[in-house]
């Protein structure tokens, strides 16, 4: 039958393939007779079938099937409830788990199979965490029924504890009474325990707290804290019996940490005996309360927040964190930050230091908004507002729902009412216009700014206009008065309080301006004070756009930096005129009135100090032979000379003067200024009256030379013509030289040929 079903077995050419497939069948624990049909399959189909069988052999369900001798029906029953057993490979942990169950049932495969068939989920339970602890308790009770055992192992933790509690009580108490009779008697007598209280304490007593000597020492210490009163000690130990395992040194450390914060002996005993986590939380909250002055309600709000924190690690670094936060804000700022975001307490110090908005965090999901209703009731009662207005104020406030209103809100309302002479309507209007007003600190913000309003004689209703005025701005005003030793009158001149509070304050910090002016004035605070009092607007002008450019113009003009107060508010042209006047006064040694006179002569012509300097230098050196006196006299006589262009008028006319001198004419120096200021038309008319209608008369021979005549015969004629021309202008005769003669450079007139 096998050969008929698979002729391939008789084919000599297929022997290698047949041997390979037979080996594969054996590796998959499959018999050839039962699986002869797959021998005819293609290689891919054959390998797929064998691989699937191999995976099954390695699976958890296959291991169960082999070890417990399960039939197909039982295997199917388990896979229906736990199909993952087929797709997951068996491992050492799974094998140990099955061996554990077999050992518990005396290696009875049928009992173990019954257990697993009824509760396959047992195969997913942890041996160390669930199975062993429960089996230990089940053995103590003496339960042997497989069905009951499987039900106990698979039930939930709460149900199992409920089943175990009565057995545990009886088993444990019997054992303890025989193990520590002296300790039990000590507890009963020292704490006046009845039998029920004794049993309750013993059942919760830690294993390391059963030594009589330590228990006796702990009881003495606790009773001394309670001044011999047994009741608070008994109540504390019944609630926290683990504290009997603490050493005396640990208890004394706790006492030292909490002795300043607890007020009653009951609280002291409770603090010393509470669980470690609760104790660390208590210490942390105590640190918060002492450093930040939080109210009991605010402490309770933080304590009840849903943030999961490691209070022990928090306690060790909390003081350092609070110091860091307080270095970046006021006490109220830190309170608001922590109540808005309790999780800040759990952050490492390094994370807080790297946060940009640590003092203005958004309100997190952990914050308890538990004071909104109470705050609303107080606002409504104190200001007489309707519910809608109250809800508007509370909902638009950042902190009214976070802070205890008795500490955060009520004092503000009382203060504002006193400032507004008890007028609820005015205070209500003020708060409705700016609901954020109630978020500001009373001591650090509202009171100081209200005092500024009083000093300026302004109405208290202006508080909303200046409430955002930064502490830095206020301190700048105070520091300015101290640094410059200003009187109140002088400070009022520099920063009129009415204008300053009305918004006409320096647009930016005045520190850079003060530093810049001080450096320009060589560090003289008296000079700085003088400059600022002369021009208070220096404190409100832009340093980069206005003050520095003005100072540069002053210094380039040779003016003193003290004069910044005189020019900083002038227009560019007026500033140039001022600098020009100061330069003229210094250069010509003239009075201020004379400077104004000169300036008026060319005030309609814009020119810089450098332009004036160029003209004066040129005139003094080239015209007045470096005589400062002649320069001054000429300019005072004819100031318009400074109005002329150096390039287009002064220099060309100077060249004319030099030419006249070179031909033997000396221009009258007494009329030198007029020589430069007369118009071009008048200048030409006076200097060369006939120049416009005179044309040189050339000889006929010269004309013939131009037509190709003999040039040698015309030289004398040309010379005579030139001499006649010079006489025509009343100019002295000069040596006449032709251009190709060697001494032409010394001649007055050169004829080019």
């Amino acid at each position: 039958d096998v050969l008929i079903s698979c002729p391939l077995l008789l084919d000599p050419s297929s022997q290698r393939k047949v041997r390979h497939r037979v080996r594969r069948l054996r590796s998959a624990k499959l018999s050839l007779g039962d699986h002869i049909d797959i021998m005819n399959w293609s290689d891919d189909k054959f390998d797929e079938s064998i691989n699937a069988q191999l995976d099954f052999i390695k699976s958890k369900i296959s291991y169960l099937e082999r070890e417990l001798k399960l039939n197909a029906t039982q295997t199917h029953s388990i896979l229906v409830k736990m199909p993952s057993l087929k797709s997951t490979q068996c491992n050492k942990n799974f094998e140990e788990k099955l061996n554990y169950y077999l050992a518990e049932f005396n290696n009875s495969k049928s009992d173990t199979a019954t257990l697993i068939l009824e509760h396959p989920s047992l195969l997913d339970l942890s041996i160390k965490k669930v199975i062993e602890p429960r089996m230990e308790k089940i053995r103590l009770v003496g339960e042997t029924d497989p069905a009951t055992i499987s039900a106990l192992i698979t039930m939930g933790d709460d149900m199992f504890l409920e089943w175990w509690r009565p057995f545990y009580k009886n088993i444990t108490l019997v054992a303890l009474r025989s193990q520590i009779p002296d300790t039990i008697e000590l507890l009963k007598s020292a704490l006046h325990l009845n039998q029920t209280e004794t049993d309750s304490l013993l059942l919760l007593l830690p294993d390391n707290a059963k030594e009589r000597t330590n228990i006796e020492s702990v009881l003495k210490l606790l009773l001394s804290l309670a001044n011999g009163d047994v009741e608070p000690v008994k109540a504390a130990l019944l609630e926290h019996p683990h504290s009997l395992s603490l050493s005396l040194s640990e208890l004394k450390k706790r006492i030292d940490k909490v002795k300043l914060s607890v007020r009653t002996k009951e609280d002291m005993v409770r603090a010393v005996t509470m669980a470690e986590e609760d104790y660390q939380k208590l210490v942390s909250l105590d640190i918060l309360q002492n450093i930040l002055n939080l109210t009991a309600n605010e402490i309770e709000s933080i304590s009840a927040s849903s943030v999961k924190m490691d209070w022990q690690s928090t306690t060790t670094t909390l003081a350092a964190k609070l110091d860091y936060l307080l270095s970046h804000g006021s006490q109220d700022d830190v309170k608001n930050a922590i109540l808005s975001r309790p999780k800040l307490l759990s952050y490492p110090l390094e994370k807080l230091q790297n946060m940009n908005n640590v003092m203005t965090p958004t309100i997190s999901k952990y914050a308890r908004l538990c004071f909104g209703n109470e705050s609303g009731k107080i606002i409504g009662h104190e200001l007489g507002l309707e519910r809608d207005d109250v809800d508007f104020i509370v909902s638009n406030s950042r902190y009214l729902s976070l802070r205890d209103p008795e500490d955060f809100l009520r004092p503000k309302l009382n203060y504002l009412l006193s400032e507004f002479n008890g007028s609820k309507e005015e205070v209500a209007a003020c708060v409705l216009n700016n609901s954020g007003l109630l978020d500001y600190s009373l001591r650090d913000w509202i009171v100081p700014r209200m005092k500024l309003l009083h000093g300026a004689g302004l109405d208290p209703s202006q508080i909303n206009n200046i409430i955002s005025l930064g502490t830095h701005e206020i301190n700048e005003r105070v520091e300015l008065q101290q640094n410059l030793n200003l009187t109140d009158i002088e400070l009022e001149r520099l920063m009129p309080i009415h204008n300053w509070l009305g918004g006409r304050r320096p647009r930016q910090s005045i520190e850079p301006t003060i530093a810049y002016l001080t450096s320009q004035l060589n560090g003289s605070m008296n000079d700085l004070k003088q400059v600022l009092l002369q021009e208070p607007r220096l404190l409100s002008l832009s340093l980069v756009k206005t003050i520095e450019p003005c100072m540069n113009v002053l210094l380039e003009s040779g003016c003193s930096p003290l004069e910044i107060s005189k020019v900083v508010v002038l227009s560019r042209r007026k500033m140039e005129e001022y600098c020009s006047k100061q330069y003229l006064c210094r250069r010509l040694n003239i009075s201020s009135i004379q400077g104004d006179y000169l300036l008026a002569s060319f005030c309609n012509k814009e020119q810089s100090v450098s332009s004036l300097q160029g003209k004066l230098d040129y005139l003094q050196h080239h015209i007045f032979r470096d005589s400062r006196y002649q320069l001054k006299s000429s300019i005072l006589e004819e100031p318009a000379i400074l109005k002329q262009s150096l390039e287009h008028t002064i220099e060309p006319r100077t060249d004319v003067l030099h030419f006249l001198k070179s031909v033997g004419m000396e221009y009258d120096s007494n009329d030198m200024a007029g020589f430069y200021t007369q118009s071009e038309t008048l200048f030409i008319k006076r200097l060369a009256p006939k120049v416009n209608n005179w044309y040189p008369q050339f000889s006929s021979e010269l004309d013939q030379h131009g037509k190709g005549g003999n040039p040698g015969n015309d030289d004398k004629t040309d010379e005579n013509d030139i001499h006649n021309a010079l006489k025509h202008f009343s100019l002295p005769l000069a040596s006449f030289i032709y251009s190709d003669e060697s001494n032409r450079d010394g001649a007055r007139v050169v004829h080019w040929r």
Side-chain angles (χ1 to χ4, degrees):
D1 292 338
V2 171
L3 294 175
I4 293 174
S5 300
C6 186
L8 180 68
L9 297 175
L10 298 175
D11 185 358
S13 63
S14 302
Q15 287 184 5
R16 180 177 295 179
K17 180 177 182 180
V18 170
R19 282 197 298 269
H20 172 71
R21 291 196 174 190
V22 170
R23 284 197 298 270
R24 292 276 285 164
L25 285 172
R26 288 173 181 171
S27 67
K29 301 186 184 306
L30 300 176
S31 67
L32 178 61
D34 294 335
H35 297 82
I36 192 65
D37 55 324
I38 72 172
M39 295 294 287
N40 292 318
W41 292 356
S42 66
D43 289 342
D44 290 340
K45 188 175 181 181
F46 179 84
D47 289 339
E48 183 180 353
S49 175
I50 296 300
N51 290 337
Q53 178 62 20
L54 289 173
D55 289 340
F56 177 77
I57 291 173
K58 296 176 183 178
S59 68
K60 292 179 178 179
I61 190 62
S62 177
Y63 181 78
L64 284 176
E65 194 176 52
R66 293 194 303 272
E67 293 298 318
L68 300 181
K69 306 299 182 185
L70 301 177
N71 57 38
T73 303
Q74 291 172 325
T75 301
H76 178 73
S77 174
I78 294 174
L79 287 176
V80 168
K81 297 177 181 178
M82 294 191 69
S84 62
L85 294 177
K86 184 177 181 180
S87 58
T88 55
Q89 289 190 0
C90 183
N91 52 30
K92 186 176 179 180
N93 183 48
F94 188 79
E95 293 176 2
E96 290 177 352
K97 198 177 297 183
L98 184 59
N99 291 334
Y100 179 84
Y101 289 129
L102 286 168
E104 287 294 332
F105 289 99
N106 298 319
N107 291 319
S108 172
K109 294 185 177 182
S110 60
D111 289 345
T112 304
T114 301
L115 175 69
I116 292 176
L117 283 168
E118 293 183 3
H119 300 284
S121 59
L122 287 170
L123 298 170
D124 278 344
L125 298 177
S126 168
I127 294 177
K128 291 184 178 181
K129 293 181 179 180
V130 179
I131 300 173
E132 284 186 349
R134 291 196 180 185
M135 287 302 299
E136 183 180 355
K137 294 178 175 61
I138 291 170
R139 282 195 296 270
L140 286 173
V141 175
E143 184 63 61
T144 59
D145 179 53
T148 303
I149 291 174
S150 62
L152 289 171
I153 292 176
T154 55
M155 66 175 50
D157 290 339
D158 293 339
M159 291 182 63
F160 184 81
L161 288 176
E162 186 178 351
W163 169 84
W164 167 244
R165 192 172 290 112
F167 297 107
Y168 168 74
K169 181 177 180 181
N170 294 331
I171 294 170
T172 303
L173 289 175
V174 170
L176 289 174
R177 288 188 186 111
S178 63
Q179 293 171 2
I180 53 170
D182 294 341
T183 302
I184 294 173
E185 188 59 34
L186 172 63
L187 291 170
K188 288 176 66 175
S189 60
L191 299 177
H192 304 166
L193 299 172
N194 57 35
Q195 191 60 49
T196 302
E197 291 170 337
T198 303
D199 292 346
S200 176
L201 183 58
L202 290 174
L203 290 171
L204 297 173
L205 198 65
D207 292 336
N208 60 346
K210 296 171 183 177
E211 185 182 343
R212 176 186 172 88
T213 304
N214 188 67
I215 289 179
E216 188 172 8
S217 301
V218 171
L219 288 175
K220 286 181 180 180
L221 179 60
L222 295 178
L223 287 169
S224 67
L225 291 177
N227 298 324
D229 189 352
V230 174
E231 288 304 317
V233 178
K234 180 168 77 171
L237 291 176
L238 287 172
E239 184 178 0
H240 301 293
H242 73 280
S243 58
L244 289 170
S245 65
L246 297 175
S247 66
L248 286 178
S249 60
E250 290 175 313
L251 290 173
K252 288 178 180 178
K253 286 181 182 178
R254 288 191 172 194
I255 292 170
D256 290 339
K257 286 187 176 181
V258 300
K259 63 184 179 182
L260 297 178
S261 59
V262 296
R263 298 182 179 180
T264 65
K265 59 186 179 182
E266 290 83 1
D267 289 340
M268 174 62 80
V269 173
R270 189 180 303 110
V272 172
T273 59
M274 62 177 49
E276 180 65 20
E277 177 70 11
D278 294 334
Y279 169 72
Q280 295 297 341
K281 183 177 181 179
L282 174 68
V283 173
S284 296
L285 295 176
D286 186 50
I287 293 173
L288 280 173
Q289 190 165 24
N290 290 334
I291 294 179
L292 299 181
N293 196 28
L294 293 163
T295 68
N297 288 334
E298 289 170 339
I299 288 291
E300 176 60 27
S301 175
I302 295 174
S303 175
S305 68
S306 57
V307 181
K308 293 182 180 180
M309 286 190 288
D310 180 358
W311 287 104
Q312 185 166 2
S313 61
T314 298
T315 302
T316 57
T317 59
L318 182 58
K321 295 176 189 177
L322 293 178
D323 287 343
Y324 172 76
L325 293 175
L326 287 169
S327 69
H328 286 70
S330 67
Q331 189 182 76
D332 253 351
D333 292 334
V334 179
K335 287 183 186 180
N336 293 335
I338 290 175
L339 285 164
S340 298
R341 199 172 184 179
K343 203 171 183 180
L344 287 175
L345 297 174
S346 66
Y347 289 168
L349 179 59
E350 294 76 15
K351 182 172 182 177
L352 293 178
Q353 292 170 338
N354 292 328
M355 292 176 64
N356 295 326
N357 61 339
V358 65
M359 296 306 297
T360 55
T362 56
I363 297 177
S364 74
K365 63 181 180 180
Y366 300 108
R368 297 186 73 240
L369 307 177
C370 54
F371 299 112
N373 290 335
E374 189 175 349
S375 296
K377 290 178 182 178
I378 293 175
I379 293 173
H381 179 265
E382 295 294 333
L383 302 184
L385 292 174
E386 297 295 332
R387 186 65 194 177
D388 289 345
D389 290 335
V390 170
D391 290 343
F392 172 79
I393 294 172
V394 174
S395 63
N396 284 278
S397 165
R398 188 181 182 86
Y399 301 119
L400 287 180
S401 295
L402 288 170
R403 298 292 303 275
D404 185 349
E406 293 299 329
D407 176 70
F408 184 71
L409 173 63
R410 193 180 293 279
K412 292 176 188 174
L413 293 178
N414 291 338
Y415 176 78
L416 290 173
L417 285 168
S418 67
E419 290 296 318
F420 284 89
N421 298 319
S423 174
K424 294 184 178 182
E425 292 78 11
E426 291 185 26
V427 176
C430 190
V431 174
L432 284 170
N433 286 334
N434 180 17
S435 56
L437 176 65
L438 298 178
D439 285 337
Y440 287 95
S441 167
L442 177 62
R443 182 187 64 184
D444 298 331
W445 284 84
I446 297 177
V447 172
R449 287 150 186 77
M450 193 66 81
K451 287 181 179 179
L452 288 175
L453 290 176
H454 290 323
L458 297 175
D459 191 84
S461 61
Q462 297 294 317
I463 186 66
N464 282 336
N465 295 332
I466 68 162
I467 192 61
S468 60
L469 183 64
T471 304
H472 179 70
E473 293 177 283
I474 297 176
N475 290 341
E476 275 191 335
R477 182 181 171 86
V478 175
E479 291 172 2
L480 184 67
Q481 183 173 20
Q482 293 173 346
N483 294 338
L484 298 182
N485 195 25
L486 298 170
T487 65
D488 290 341
I489 295 176
E490 289 172 334
L491 180 63
E492 180 66 17
R493 172 173 171 75
L494 281 185
M495 290 184 172
I497 189 70
H498 186 280
N499 294 341
W500 190 68
L501 292 179
R504 294 193 288 277
R505 298 187 292 277
R507 292 174 293 175
Q508 55 189 1
S509 174
I510 64 174
E511 291 178 1
T513 299
I514 295 296
Y516 174 77
L517 292 175
T518 303
S519 67
Q520 295 297 324
L521 298 170
N522 298 320
S524 172
M525 300 308 290
N526 287 331
D527 288 347
L528 176 62
K529 176 179 177 179
Q530 174 188 337
V531 166
L532 292 177
L533 287 173
Q534 288 175 348
E535 184 48 78
R537 284 175 288 182
L538 276 166
L539 295 177
S540 61
L541 295 173
S542 169
L543 175 61
V544 175
K545 295 181 179 179
T546 304
I547 299 175
E548 287 183 348
C550 287
M551 183 65 77
N552 292 336
V553 171
L554 278 178
L555 298 179
E556 290 170 1
S557 305
C559 297
S560 167
L562 285 168
E563 297 177 76
I564 187 67
S565 59
K566 299 177 181 178
V567 301
V568 73
V569 296
L570 299 178
S571 67
R572 178 76 183 187
R573 179 169 181 176
K574 290 294 183 183
M575 179 173 61
E576 292 280 4
E577 289 178 359
Y578 175 87
C579 292
S580 298
K581 172 188 170 182
Q582 298 305 312
Y583 174 76
L584 288 171
C585 291
R586 290 194 308 273
R587 176 69 182 267
L588 302 178
N589 192 23
I590 59 178
S591 67
S592 177
I593 295 176
Q594 289 174 317
D596 289 334
Y597 166 70
L598 292 182
L599 196 66
S601 69
F602 58 86
C603 63
N604 63 334
K605 183 176 180 61
E606 182 177 353
Q607 59 180 310
S608 64
V609 173
S610 60
S611 173
L612 277 177
Q613 183 178 358
K615 293 177 184 179
L616 292 174
D617 288 344
Y618 186 88
L619 290 171
Q620 183 172 333
H621 178 67
H622 292 280
I623 306 303
F624 299 108
R625 300 170 184 173
D626 294 322
S627 171
R628 189 173 179 181
Y629 174 78
Q630 285 189 2
L631 175 68
K632 172 181 175 180
S633 300
S634 296
I635 290 177
L636 287 175
E637 179 184 349
E638 188 58 70
I641 192 173
L642 298 177
K643 201 173 178 182
Q644 309 306 315
S645 167
L646 177 63
E647 180 182 359
H648 296 102
T649 302
I650 297 177
E651 289 181 348
R653 293 195 182 185
T654 301
D655 291 340
V656 172
L657 281 179
H658 289 166
F659 170 75
L660 292 176
K661 181 180 178 181
S662 69
V663 297
M665 284 191 64
E666 188 74 24
Y667 196 82
D668 185 3
S669 61
N670 293 326
D671 189 32
M672 195 63 69
F675 179 79
Y676 284 96
T677 57
Q678 58 189 301
S679 67
E680 192 69 22
T681 302
L682 185 61
F683 174 77
I684 294 173
K685 183 177 180 181
R686 288 180 177 178
L687 186 65
K690 298 180 180 179
V691 71
N692 289 330
N693 54 18
W694 175 81
Y695 301 94
Q697 300 295 322
F698 292 99
S699 65
S700 59
E701 290 80 5
L702 181 63
D703 185 50
Q704 292 173 359
H705 166 67
K707 297 178 181 178
N710 183 6
N713 298 329
D714 299 325
D715 290 344
K716 191 64 179 177
T717 304
D718 291 342
E719 184 177 351
N720 292 335
D721 289 342
I722 292 172
H723 285 180
N724 290 333
L726 292 175
K727 290 179 181 179
H728 183 81
F729 285 102
S730 300
L731 294 175
L733 296 178
S735 61
F736 179 85
I737 298 296
Y738 285 101
S739 60
D740 55 358
E741 294 186 40
S742 61
N743 61 340
R744 76 176 191 199
D745 291 339
R748 296 287 184 260
V749 179
V750 177
H751 178 63
W752 292 83
R753 63 179 180 177

